[in-house]
Amino acid sequence: MRISRPWLAAALAAFTALATPLSWAQGAYPTKPIRVIVPFAAGGPADVVARELAQSLAPALGQPLVVENQGGGAGVPALGTVSRAPADGYTLLFAASGNVVIQPLLTKTRVDVLQQLSPVAMVTASPHVLVVSSKLPVHTVKEFVAYAKAHPGEVNFASAGVGGLAHLGTELFQRAAGIDARHVPYKGTSQAMSDLAGGQVQAMFSSLPSMKGLIDKGAIRVIGVTAPSASPAYKGIPVIKDAGVPNFEYTTWYGLYGPAGLPAAVVDRLGVALAGLAADKAFDERLLAQGVDLSISSAKELGERTRRETPTWDKVIRDAGIQLN
């Protein structure tokens, strides 16, 4: 769990300012329920975390947070809903890094999301794990890389679809490891997992919770995690960059955004409420159970991270010639 302490002090000072009548001319925020748009279907990992967040934030804000799922369209419809909403803090987007850093690069006219959205705070971070079919005779990252090099073009990486983070992670891994593998896109995670367990495809990057059932059954084997360093949520799983592929790492993260022009007072109020979750051990434990680390940042830090990661994935997309149909 990580939180920027200097920012927390500043946010708390801002919260004090909010208590004065002049700090928010339209009255104390919030005064009604807040919509939280999630660009994924109900029941998935992102939806579970969004609902945990909404439940935990409601007491601090004094209003319910109502999660609304708008899956499909690579997150574009959900982003559009929030960007067109009034900039009053009552419509927020709980977005994955791929929604705001990767998908805008795959549109016909590349979108600068920070012209359409106001960063509020990064909330969680979670790396992917590298899993292989148990039918593959490898147990470590080094063994997997050696096998792929000995069988060029024969190792198939599954993903839930073209242009997703798992797909781009696969392309990034190939270049870092110096291997020649094939990407096999599916229309969702369930069929990809089924074929991975059956040995039709050999490897996949995905979230740990989504794979846990098959791992426990012994149908697939987890051999590494994409995190920059060890994490309590991934205890015992080797960090890939320390286990044979030194220049490889990536992390998916989730952040809160509002429409462009969101008032600073609203951003501060939400930021202070989020910062308070750092002391909520029960919330932290529920996230860890989902393979997710609480990782709260300031609005400025979220904006900077959004911009910083864009060139990395832009290069992967261009080098691999990835295009959406």
Side-chain angles (χ1 to χ4, degrees):
M1 179 174 66
R2 300 175 298 280
I3 185 166
S4 174
R5 296 294 177 184
W7 168 76
L8 177 55
L12 289 170
F15 179 46
T16 301
L18 283 174
T20 65
L22 296 178
S23 64
W24 182 234
Q26 296 178 338
Y29 167 85
T31 59
K32 62 181 181 180
I34 300 168
R35 296 170 70 202
V36 180
I37 308 298
V38 178
F40 298 96
D47 178 62
V48 170
V49 175
R51 291 178 188 279
E52 290 281 7
L53 177 68
Q55 180 180 345
S56 297
L57 273 182
L61 292 171
Q63 291 290 338
L65 283 77
V66 181
V67 173
E68 182 178 318
N69 300 95
Q70 291 189 9
V76 174
L79 189 150
T81 295
V82 177
S83 66
R84 292 190 297 269
D88 55 10
Y90 291 101
T91 303
L92 303 175
L93 177 72
F94 184 68
S97 53
N99 299 130
V100 294
V101 174
I102 295 173
Q103 294 304 328
L105 299 173
L106 295 169
T107 58
K108 290 183 179 180
T109 56
R110 296 191 170 200
V111 176
D112 183 347
V113 296
L114 294 182
Q115 290 184 357
Q116 299 184 13
L117 300 175
S118 295
V120 174
M122 191 171 85
V123 181
T124 68
S126 57
H128 278 172
V129 290
L130 173 57
V131 291
V132 298
S133 170
S134 293
K135 299 179 184 298
L136 203 66
V138 302
H139 292 80
T140 68
V141 172
K142 286 185 178 180
E143 288 178 358
F144 176 70
V145 171
Y147 181 91
K149 287 183 175 178
H151 301 81
E154 296 181 19
V155 172
N156 297 322
F157 273 86
S159 84
V162 174
L165 187 62
H167 175 198
L168 268 64
T170 296
E171 300 294 344
L172 189 64
F173 182 82
Q174 287 194 68
R175 284 155 182 74
I179 64 172
D180 176 19
R182 290 198 315 155
H183 170 237
V184 181
Y186 287 80
K187 293 181 179 179
T189 303
S190 59
Q191 185 59 50
M193 290 169 55
S194 176
D195 281 3
L196 179 65
Q200 287 84 5
V201 290
Q202 288 72 48
M204 185 175 179
F205 286 102
S206 189
S207 64
L208 181 60
S210 67
M211 296 290 184
K212 193 174 185 305
L214 290 176
I215 293 170
D216 291 345
K217 291 179 182 178
I220 61 176
R221 185 180 300 128
V222 57
I223 61 173
V225 61
T226 67
S229 59
S231 161
Y234 297 83
K235 187 177 180 180
I237 303 176
V239 174
I240 292 174
K241 75 170 190 177
D242 298 331
V245 188
N247 298 317
F248 176 79
E249 67 176 72
Y250 73 88
T251 301
T252 184
W253 44 265
Y254 287 89
L256 275 178
Y257 296 79
L262 201 61
V266 171
V267 174
D268 290 340
R269 179 72 178 91
L270 291 168
V272 170
L274 286 163
L277 294 180
D280 188 340
K281 292 183 179 180
F283 177 65
D284 194 20
E285 289 173 358
R286 291 196 298 271
L287 291 186
L288 286 176
Q290 298 293 326
V292 175
D293 282 326
L294 185 61
S295 185
I296 300 173
S297 78
S298 69
K300 180 181 179 182
E301 289 167 335
L302 176 58
E304 290 173 349
R305 182 160 190 168
T306 304
R307 290 211 183 279
R308 184 173 67 249
E309 291 191 6
T310 298
T312 298
W313 294 119
D314 191 27
K315 186 176 188 306
V316 172
I317 290 168
R318 292 181 184 276
D319 288 349
I322 297 171
Q323 294 181 337
L324 291 181
N325 294 328

